Amino acid sequence: MARRRLIVLVIALAAVVGAGAFAIAASNRVKGSAAETAQAYFDAWRRGNVTAMERLVYQAPSDFSVRHRKLSDELHVESLQLTPGQVRSLGDEAAEVPFSGVRRLAELGDWPFDGLLRLAVRDRSWKVLWAPETLHPLLKDGGTLELEEVETSAAELVTSEGDKIPNDSYAEAYLNPLKPEFEEVNYGWALVSRVPGRPDRTLLHREPKANVERTTLSRAVQAAAARALDGVEDSTIIVIRPSTGEILALADRLGENYSAVRDVFPPGSTFKAITAAALLKGGLDPAAQVGCPGTYQIPFHRPFSNDGEVDRGVVTFTDAFAHSCNTTFVEQATTRLTGEELSRTADEWGFGRPIATGIGGTCGTVPVTDDLDMLAADAIGQGEVVATPLCMAALAAAVQSGTWRSPRLLSHGQVRRIDGIPHGDVQMDEGLVAALRDMMTAVTGYGTASGAGLPEGVAGKTGTAEVEGETSHAWFIGYRDDLAFCVFVRHGGSGRSTAVPIAARFFKGL
């Protein structure tokens, strides 16, 4: 009996001891695991549940929630992807989990990053050991991440096709001053990392979008014009589409700040196209027989000579135009025209008016004169007659199309906004235009521009404008199909020897 009581007592004592040991073991047991805590943290982070995240952090800073929300708000984060790696044990009470993430920023798109989640046992539970670099590695050591606006008001002028203007196009003097007309403030973005004591780093950027404005310039035509002028100083070539008035090329290498659209020069024999128009309008037939002596003296006035005093005898008016007979045009103008009639005809073909291109411009002037000597000089493009290369290109375009159109470098709307309303289209007399076309074809077929390497189909008029005490200016105007052009070389010599080869190179380069 005593022995039975002893056994019961031993069992009871053992039970008490076992219960105490179990209680001690239970009180020392670590709750959960590193993997479970990491998974819960990442799940809460994906959901944006900052409160749940904070509960899993050991001694989270008081601004834990603020830091997370501030980063997302300031960087304009739209979404967050997180991909945890394998848990790496660092002993019984420490672990870490490498992870990768992608934040999608509203302005800059996807922004990937790599991070490390550190964990440890604290107060018998697995907790996250949070630091700023847990949010992003670049926030370590007091680093900040900032989204900045990048401002620009730049404007980009492009070709009619939307391409960049070719390099070394010789059009920069016109395009660069034009850009402020199209400048408007645009914004880009940059994501910048700043760490005290280190240079700032731009992590992502999106350049501000420039305001793009199309010009009428054709990439191919502009490139061919520019290359045709390579190596030729003080020169310009302007190309116009006769059917629309669009300036397809504006290559200007004129020196001393001269402008091909604003500055005027004596046009020489290219002006004979205007004088011929006035004479045709007055009744002179292209097939009429006219004299072309080496020298002609206006009765009781001064003499005029052909180049080299070449005497061609009696020729048709078309032949006189083709060979650029000064004496023919002096005699016919002074016997058939008045200064007022010549000036009025010039005005019909664009002279005496400003030209609204979008970059400004003018044509030229033919002052009315009662002096026969001055009228004779004007008739051959000397005297007081002056014109811009732009004006003479527009003249050639009007002969080709039968309509004088105001040249333009920009759209109709932009031209009106910048330069005002342009002069309206002027329909030319069909018979007169047809005669001028035949005469300009004769120039390239057997006249002063023949045998110079021009392609078939080019019609034109050469010009050599004398400048007192200096080398003459060289001119050549013309057209082929829906391309009209003016080549001008200031103090370049003769139109045939200097300007015509430039036109030939231009067409070869198309």
Side-chain angles (χ1 to χ4, degrees):
M1 191 68 179
R3 184 178 179 184
R4 184 179 299 167
R5 285 196 297 270
L6 180 60
I7 292 172
V8 172
L9 182 60
V10 170
I11 292 172
L13 182 59
V16 170
V17 172
F22 178 79
I24 292 171
S27 66
N28 289 327
R29 182 182 300 165
V30 175
K31 295 178 183 178
S33 66
E36 291 171 346
T37 300
Q39 181 177 337
Y41 189 85
F42 285 122
D43 287 344
W45 197 358
R46 290 188 189 97
R47 298 192 308 270
N49 190 342
V50 182
T51 301
M53 293 166 63
E54 188 171 6
R55 285 198 295 264
L56 296 169
V57 173
Y58 177 70
Q59 294 182 351
S62 59
D63 61 350
F64 180 86
S65 296
V66 172
R67 285 180 183 240
H68 282 74
R69 293 193 174 99
K70 185 177 180 182
L71 184 70
S72 293
D73 291 345
E74 291 185 350
L75 301 189
H76 303 174
V77 177
E78 293 183 326
S79 64
L80 172 66
Q81 299 176 11
L82 296 168
T83 306
Q86 296 294 319
V87 177
R88 296 196 293 242
S89 176
L90 302 178
D92 293 339
E93 296 188 351
E96 61 185 18
V97 182
F99 67 93
S100 60
V102 178
R103 288 183 172 92
R104 173 162 291 180
L105 310 186
E107 287 78 16
L108 295 171
D110 289 349
W111 175 39
F113 67 101
D114 294 317
L116 185 68
L117 188 71
R118 297 170 54 242
L119 302 106
V121 175
R122 295 291 186 271
D123 299 332
R124 296 186 295 280
S125 294
W126 280 97
K127 294 284 189 179
V128 172
L129 300 183
W130 189 88
E133 57 265 32
T134 308
L135 192 54
H136 193 284
L138 292 176
L139 297 177
K140 188 177 181 180
D141 300 327
T144 59
L145 293 166
E146 299 176 20
L147 185 65
E148 297 181 345
E149 283 186 330
V150 180
E151 179 180 312
T152 184
S153 57
E156 182 180 2
L157 298 174
V158 298
T159 66
S160 60
E161 304 91 346
D163 299 325
K164 288 185 177 297
I165 304 295
N167 292 329
D168 301 322
S169 66
Y170 306 134
E172 293 82 4
Y174 299 98
L175 299 179
N176 290 337
L178 188 59
K179 289 180 179 180
E181 291 288 345
F182 303 100
E183 288 182 350
E184 58 183 42
V185 177
N186 292 316
Y187 294 96
W189 298 90
L191 179 61
V192 180
S193 167
R194 290 189 169 90
V195 179
R198 301 180 197 171
D200 293 352
R201 285 175 54 201
T202 299
L203 308 175
L204 296 174
H205 74 281
R206 191 190 77 198
E207 290 296 327
K209 196 172 183 180
N211 188 34
V212 177
E213 183 68 24
R214 293 193 184 214
T215 67
T216 60
L217 297 177
S218 160
R219 180 177 176 82
V221 180
Q222 180 67 39
R227 299 294 71 80
L229 294 186
D230 284 346
V232 184
E233 299 297 326
D234 236 352
S235 59
T236 186
I237 179 168
I238 299 177
V239 183
I240 295 174
R241 178 174 282 135
S243 60
T244 63
E246 295 169 298
I247 298 174
L248 303 182
L250 176 52
D252 189 346
R253 297 196 68 195
L254 294 178
E256 300 181 24
N257 292 319
Y258 279 108
S259 164
V261 304
R262 290 184 290 272
D263 290 313
V264 293
F265 308 90
S269 292
T270 59
F271 187 75
K272 286 174 183 170
I274 298 293
T275 306
L279 290 169
L280 292 167
K281 189 168 59 171
L284 183 61
D285 191 276
Q289 298 291 302
V290 293
C292 178
T295 300
Y296 171 79
Q297 182 167 356
I298 306 170
F300 309 107
H301 288 272
R302 58 167 285 198
F304 288 83
S305 300
N306 291 331
D307 184 26
E309 296 189 8
V310 174
D311 186 341
R312 296 187 180 276
V314 177
V315 297
T316 66
F317 183 45
T318 295
D319 288 350
F321 185 88
H323 295 295
S324 203
C325 292
N326 287 339
T327 55
T328 302
F329 276 80
V330 168
E331 180 181 9
Q332 297 302 319
T334 55
T335 57
R336 291 175 175 268
L337 297 176
T338 65
E340 184 177 351
E341 288 172 328
L342 182 63
S343 180
R344 185 167 59 246
T345 300
D347 287 351
E348 291 171 1
W349 289 83
F351 281 71
R353 67 181 67 136
I355 300 178
T357 60
I359 53 172
T362 189
C363 192
T365 56
V366 183
V368 175
T369 181
D370 294 326
D371 185 323
L372 279 185
D373 288 335
M374 186 59 69
L375 175 59
D378 287 347
I380 59 174
Q382 301 286 166
E384 295 180 319
V385 173
V386 288
T388 62
L390 174 67
C391 181
M392 300 310 289
L395 167 61
V399 173
Q400 192 278 343
S401 69
T403 301
W404 186 92
R405 293 180 172 89
S406 184
R408 60 184 176 86
L409 186 68
L410 300 172
S411 68
H412 290 291
Q414 295 293 6
V415 167
R416 290 189 186 95
R417 181 179 69 84
I418 296 171
D419 279 352
I421 299 174
H423 194 284
D425 294 350
V426 180
Q427 191 74 35
M428 313 309 294
D429 179 85
E430 291 183 7
L432 188 154
V433 167
L436 285 176
R437 288 176 188 148
D438 290 341
M439 295 170 79
M440 291 177 74
T441 299
V443 171
T444 56
Y446 59 86
T448 56
S450 62
L454 293 168
E456 187 176 351
V458 174
K461 182 69 188 79
T462 59
T464 303
E466 297 177 1
V467 183
E468 187 175 355
E470 297 187 74
T471 304
S472 300
H473 300 319
W475 292 83
F476 184 45
I477 65 171
Y479 60 85
R480 185 194 189 203
D481 299 328
D482 205 17
L483 292 179
F485 62 87
C486 173
V487 176
F488 172 67
V489 184
R490 183 169 167 264
H491 303 306
S494 80
R496 174 179 171 81
S497 62
T498 303
V500 174
I502 292 174
R505 288 200 300 273
F506 162 69
F507 281 107
K508 186 177 180 179
L510 286 175

